[in-house]
Amino acid sequence: MKQASWPRIVAHADMDAFYAAAEQLDHPELRGRPVLVGPRSERGVVLTASYEARPYGVGSAMPIARARRLCPDAITVPPRFDRYEELSRTIMRVFGDFSPNVEALSLDEAFIDLSGAERIFGPPQRMGHRIREAVREATGLTASVGVSSTKYVAKAASSYRKPYGLTVVPPGEAKAWLAPQPVSRLFGAGPKTLPKLEALGLHTIGDVAACDPRELHRGLGSIGAHFAALANARDPRPVEGGRGSRSVGSDRTLLADVSTRAEILPHLRDSADRIGRRLRRKGCAARGVRVRLKTTRFELLTRQCLLGRATDVADVLYETAHRLLDAFGHPGPFRLVGMAAYDLAPAEAPEQLQLFDRLLQQEGPVRRLERTLEAQIERFGKGVVVSLIQI
């Protein structure tokens, strides 16, 4: 195709059932069998279902108990985020071989700006094919790829022929390609918005494209203009390379409800340890800590605060989370306890030390201790070394 018909070339690559596929890759006995990645507790939710489980109606974010009823033969596997992050680093390096401008959306998907790369990788169809093959060669896993001239259409295209699909939508054909697809495929059209679209008689993306913008605004408010632009294949957003993750979290749905501080703290300790390890592996430090508690009525409560200085030390994260518990004021009981480190920065970014912050002043020795323990865990396995330090 002529370059004039492609003002930009944007690819969206999305791994196929990433967590489940990683488990099947590492455990051959799971291949060809329905796999659910999630807690073995009946109280948790499915993180990813393998393609063998999906014909039974099983999908991500579904309660584990329901998924097992729908697919009694499914094998439930607990998540191994360290392994998924290891694979993700390889995948992102592969994407980086095609363009210096890669915008990671999560561990398993990214936008890749391929504008002007035809002389290196060939036309858009060939580009998408080479990305899929490179990922498969590097990891043994499959990805689906969509290619178009905007981020929205490229992302919609990547999910069009999963798994291991490749869909190329030239810019001149994008509006017509979108038109017959349901309004649920519009970015931002969630459970609250879909009924409003249907109430306006809008069932396909083409219906939205043909609708009077004033009617969209009356029925939907400011998001109406956003939907009108997407439906007409307009999306000027650039690929923002180097964004990376905005937060690192660790949540756990519990086997038994908890209410007291003594019951909650061990789970926060475990989350802090996990997050600290993940931050160090990413080469990042966090400037903020967020604690999440979910009640037995499924009400999600959060409290957060900024630190005086970015950190990757689990003990600092834990002590901050410990203090945040005082801000909840809810008696419980809680079925989920979690933590996230947010506002990430490169670990070596210079920052002014807070002179009177005891935790941060002790950061250096504690970080060295944590890294020593981490090395022993990697060598001998989890459970061999346990950190009992409390600042």
Side-chain angles (χ1 to χ4, degrees):
M1 293 185 183
K2 295 180 180 179
Q3 174 64 22
S5 66
W6 286 79
R8 290 194 301 163
I9 301 176
V10 178
H12 179 262
D14 189 15
M15 301 302 294
D16 299 320
F18 180 50
Y19 297 168
E23 297 301 332
Q24 291 175 321
L25 176 72
D26 292 348
H27 302 97
E29 69 276 12
L30 298 178
R31 296 173 191 172
R33 305 181 67 181
V35 174
L36 309 177
V37 177
R40 290 199 170 101
S41 163
E42 295 291 312
R43 296 155 57 88
V45 298
V46 176
L47 297 177
T48 306
S50 72
Y51 281 97
E52 294 84 356
R54 296 187 185 191
Y56 296 87
V58 176
S60 301
M62 176 181 289
I64 286 280
R66 184 184 174 205
R68 286 177 175 161
R69 287 195 299 270
L70 292 172
C71 187
D73 294 332
I75 302 167
T76 303
V77 179
R80 298 180 297 147
F81 288 107
D82 290 348
R83 173 58 171 153
Y84 309 150
E85 289 182 345
E86 177 188 5
L87 286 167
S88 178
R89 287 192 291 272
T90 300
I91 292 163
M92 296 303 162
R93 282 196 296 269
V94 169
F95 296 161
D97 290 340
F98 287 87
S99 171
N101 197 3
V102 176
E103 180 181 338
L105 301 180
S106 63
L107 292 178
D108 64 333
E109 64 174 315
F111 288 111
I112 308 165
D113 190 336
L114 295 162
S115 303
E118 298 94 327
R119 292 184 180 180
I120 304 173
F121 302 114
Q125 183 84 21
R126 180 63 178 157
M127 290 176 178
H129 175 75
R130 292 182 67 168
I131 290 170
R132 289 194 312 161
E133 291 304 303
V135 169
R136 189 167 195 171
E137 182 177 343
T139 66
L141 301 174
T142 65
S144 293
V145 177
V147 186
S148 193
S149 61
T150 66
K151 292 170 74 171
Y152 167 63
V153 178
K155 184 171 173 61
S158 70
S159 62
Y160 194 64
R161 290 194 176 100
K162 273 184 166 287
Y164 201 47
L166 171 59
T167 302
V168 177
V169 183
E173 301 173 17
K175 183 177 176 180
W177 182 81
L178 289 170
Q181 299 189 47
V183 289
S184 59
R185 299 294 301 276
L186 285 170
F187 180 73
K192 293 182 179 179
T193 309
L194 285 175
K196 296 179 181 179
L197 288 165
E198 293 171 355
L200 294 172
L202 306 176
H203 303 285
T204 68
I205 294 178
D207 292 338
V208 177
C211 186
D212 186 326
R214 291 170 294 184
E215 184 178 348
L216 283 174
H217 187 272
R218 282 195 297 269
L220 302 172
S222 59
I223 199 171
H226 166 72
F227 287 153
L230 295 184
N232 284 280
R234 296 195 301 267
D235 181 9
R237 294 176 300 158
V239 175
E240 299 179 17
R243 283 179 55 187
S245 301
R246 295 180 179 180
S247 65
V248 172
S250 175
D251 291 344
R252 177 165 294 178
T253 300
L254 309 177
L255 292 172
D257 299 333
V258 296
S259 297
T260 67
R261 179 182 292 265
E263 293 171 326
I264 294 171
L265 286 177
H267 300 293
L268 290 179
R269 175 77 253 184
D270 184 59
S271 290
D273 289 339
R274 288 172 181 267
I275 292 170
R277 288 195 298 270
R278 291 171 65 186
L279 286 172
R280 288 190 290 274
R281 286 181 180 141
K282 285 176 174 286
C284 292
R287 297 189 181 95
V289 174
R290 180 183 302 116
V291 174
R292 297 187 281 238
L293 302 175
K294 184 180 288 186
T295 71
T296 52
R297 295 184 177 183
F298 291 85
E299 179 186 7
L300 184 62
L301 311 175
T302 64
R303 299 292 185 272
Q304 66 185 46
C305 71
L306 290 172
L307 302 171
R309 179 188 179 194
T311 185
D312 60 6
V313 175
D315 276 328
V316 176
L317 301 174
Y318 169 73
E319 183 65 18
T320 305
H322 189 298
R323 295 173 179 174
L324 283 171
L325 284 182
D326 295 331
F328 277 91
H330 193 292
F334 305 106
R335 68 190 312 271
L336 175 146
V337 175
M339 183 195 305
Y342 65 94
D343 196 3
L344 304 189
E348 302 305 320
E351 295 191 54
Q352 183 177 353
L353 180 64
Q354 304 298 303
L355 295 177
F356 301 104
D357 193 319
R358 180 171 58 90
L359 286 174
L360 295 173
Q361 288 176 349
Q362 296 185 22
E363 212 179 34
V366 176
R367 180 189 288 108
R368 289 193 292 272
L369 173 60
E370 289 186 5
R371 287 182 172 172
T372 300
L373 295 177
E374 190 173 317
Q376 298 304 307
I377 291 170
E378 289 180 354
R379 182 177 179 185
F380 299 108
K382 294 181 180 180
V384 174
V385 182
V386 178
S387 172
L388 299 177
I389 186 169
Q390 302 290 328
I391 296 179

